[in-house]
């Protein structure tokens, strides 16, 4: 589990200035990509299910926290573009967005639905042909980071890993792309989980685990993913070494066992 270190907004901006582009509204946007096979391609609907963003570390060593991605404005106009060319015509739209903060890795999924065939924009049919044959299979988000909520990802010895963790961001765009950056998040198959290619565990949060336990204690319902998250927190060796958590592990384990039997 990677540790983090607080940094200033100016330092965070400087470290990732190469990933930024200016949008039409003048605000800078950051672009991150993911890749996957188009096995969920639906030729009738002209759609495929994608992992739009994953909390797994990308090729730059960065992590975009799924729970911190604000999609409010994006979902009012969820246009899909090709290779982040938002100055051209959209090729379709994103539907059925779903955040999975307790998945492994935490991620956000969505359906890319291309516009119908035979329209005046030839690029759309070209994109559909390429996607259906697996020639293009990546997805990439464009987002506006909250530069005051960025942390450095640290190695176990406390040195900087070279990566940043973006704890809060605003999703402004998601594209079908040729070259992805995030190797962990794959396009969805028609059935089955996404393939894991890196760490089998997300970055666990003791506060999140205790928040779930806080729901269990008064008898409130929790999801299967929430229960699994708590179980994995208990089993995580790094978490056991944290003094504040170690004192409560025995009680937490007993609470989980009682919740399972109820």
């Amino acid at each position: 589990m990677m540790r983090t270190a607080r940094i200033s907004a100016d330092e965070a901006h400087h470290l990732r200035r190469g990933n930024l582009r200016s949008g039409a509204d003048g605000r800078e946007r950051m672009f991150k990509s993911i890749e996957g096979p188009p096995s969920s391609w639906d030729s009738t609907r002209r759609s495929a299910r994608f992992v739009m963003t994953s909390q797994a570390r990308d090729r730059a060593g960065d992590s975009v926290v799924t729970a911190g991605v604000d999609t409010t404005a994006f979902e009012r106009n969820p246009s899909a573009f090709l290779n982040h060319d938002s100055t051209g015509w959209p090729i379709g739209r994103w539907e059925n967005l779903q955040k999975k903060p307790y998945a492994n890795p935490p991620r956000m999924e969505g359906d890319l639905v291309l516009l119908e065939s035979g329209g005046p924009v030839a690029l759309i049919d070209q994109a559909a042909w390429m996607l259906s044959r697996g020639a293009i299979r990546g997805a990439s988000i464009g987002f506006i980071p909250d530069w005051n909520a960025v942390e450095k990802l640290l190695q176990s010895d406390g040195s900087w890993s070279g990566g940043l963790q973006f704890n809060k961001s605003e999703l402004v765009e998601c594209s079908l792309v040729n070259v992805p950056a995030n190797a962990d998040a794959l396009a969805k198959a028609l059935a089955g989980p996404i393939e894991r290619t890196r760490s089998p565990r997300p970055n666990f949060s003791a506060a999140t685990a205790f928040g779930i336990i806080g729901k269990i204690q008064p008898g409130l319902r929790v999801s299967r993913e929430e229960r699994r998250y708590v179980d994995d927190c208990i089993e995580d060796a790094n978490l056991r070494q944290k003094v504040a958590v170690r004192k409560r592990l025995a009680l937490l384990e007993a609470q989980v066992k009682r919740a399972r039997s109820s």
Side-chain angles (χ1 to χ4, degrees), residues 150-188:
V150 179
E151 295 178 301
K152 283 183 174 179
L153 288 166
L154 307 179
Q155 305 281 15
S156 58
D157 61 1
S159 62
W160 183 35
S161 68
L164 299 178
Q165 180 169 291
F166 296 90
N167 294 305
K168 293 183 180 180
S169 58
E170 178 188 352
L171 180 65
V172 292
E173 189 252 309
C174 190
S175 286
L176 183 66
V177 297
N178 294 307
V179 182
N182 189 321
D184 275 351
L186 304 178
K188 294 291 287 184

Side-chain angles (χ1 to χ4, degrees), residues 2-206:
M2 298 292 292
R3 293 189 294 159
T4 62
R6 293 293 301 273
I7 56 175
S8 69
D10 288 341
E11 183 180 3
H13 185 275
H14 174 75
L15 290 171
R16 288 297 176 268
R17 63 189 183 278
N19 296 91
L20 301 173
R21 302 181 195 170
S22 293
D25 57 3
R27 293 192 296 175
E28 290 181 316
R29 302 172 183 185
M30 178 167 287
F31 296 94
K32 294 289 183 180
S33 306
I34 58 92
E35 178 184 14
S39 53
S40 57
W41 173 252
D42 182 335
S43 58
T44 302
R45 191 168 176 247
R46 284 164 62 96
S47 71
R49 186 74 174 171
F50 279 88
V51 175
M52 300 168 69
T53 181
S54 162
Q55 199 164 311
R57 297 179 68 195
D58 60 27
R59 298 187 203 281
D62 295 341
S63 174
V64 180
V65 176
T66 301
V69 179
D70 183 358
T71 64
T72 305
F74 174 80
E75 292 190 71
R76 291 198 291 266
N77 184 34
S79 295
F81 297 93
L82 183 63
N83 292 322
H84 295 299
D85 184 12
S86 58
T87 62
W89 296 106
I91 61 173
R93 63 190 179 278
W94 292 95
E95 295 183 354
N96 304 320
L97 267 65
Q98 183 182 17
K99 285 186 181 181
K100 296 188 174 183
Y102 301 113
N104 190 4
R107 58 189 183 267
M108 182 173 68
E109 300 176 2
D111 293 337
L112 170 60
V113 183
L114 298 175
L115 294 170
E116 60 271 18
S117 179
V121 183
L123 183 66
I124 298 170
D125 285 342
Q126 293 168 4
W129 190 90
M130 290 289 182
L131 179 58
S132 68
R133 286 156 178 79
I136 182 171
R137 55 185 184 175
S140 175
I141 62 169
F143 64 97
I144 299 173
D146 180 343
W147 293 106
N148 292 302
V150 179
E151 295 178 301
K152 283 183 174 179
L153 288 166
L154 307 179
Q155 305 281 15
S156 58
D157 61 1
S159 62
W160 183 35
S161 68
L164 299 178
Q165 180 169 291
F166 296 90
N167 294 305
K168 293 183 180 180
S169 58
E170 178 188 352
L171 180 65
V172 292
E173 189 252 309
C174 190
S175 286
L176 183 66
V177 297
N178 294 307
V179 182
N182 189 321
D184 275 351
L186 304 178
K188 294 291 287 184
L190 288 173
I194 69 170
E195 178 185 351
R196 297 174 186 169
T197 58
R198 292 192 186 224
S199 171
R201 296 183 182 278
N203 289 332
F204 292 121
S205 162

